[in-house]
Amino acid sequence: MTRIFKALAIIVLLPIIGCSNSIESSEENEIKTENSSFTGTIKEINDNSALVSTKVFEGNPESDVFVDLSVNNDKTFQVGDKIKVGFEGIIRESNPAQINTLSVVLVD
């Protein structure tokens, strides 16, 4: 009877232990992306955000990206300005795309 109980306990506990280990390891193995940047042209400005037309990835057609202009309060940006945008490296696939803006600099 104890062998059946032990076997049953192993069958019940094994999936629980396996799931908890995979959750912990996925948190430990989060992919940390490096900071990235791109250059683009401001198409629209609404409050502290801008819609920027850019070619983020080589080989892809131009696309629009929302950029948070409030990261640079020292500069007043205008439609048509060419800017260099530093971002966290993750691009949320939406239309237009969204990023976590780290820096915005006016390009001559």
Side-chain angles (χ1 to χ4, degrees), residues 8-21:
L8 192 57
I10 290 172
I11 291 171
V12 170
L13 293 177
L14 195 57
I16 295 170
I17 293 169
C19 290
S20 66
N21 285 343

Side-chain angles (χ1 to χ4, degrees), residues 1-62:
M1 192 64 139
T2 54
R3 286 186 182 181
I4 293 174
F5 179 72
K6 287 180 183 178
L8 192 57
I10 290 172
I11 291 171
V12 170
L13 293 177
L14 195 57
I16 295 170
I17 293 169
C19 290
S20 66
N21 285 343
S22 65
I23 291 170
E24 290 172 7
S25 59
S26 69
E27 290 174 358
E28 292 172 3
N29 296 327
E30 284 183 331
I31 298 171
K32 304 282 184 184
T33 57
E34 294 182 20
N35 296 343
S36 301
S37 64
F38 63 86
T39 306
T41 304
I42 297 176
K43 290 174 60 174
E44 295 177 23
I45 297 177
N46 294 315
D47 296 323
N48 286 327
S49 65
L51 187 62
V52 177
S53 177
T54 184
K55 188 174 183 176
V56 178
F57 296 110
E58 293 299 321
N60 285 349
E62 284 195 3

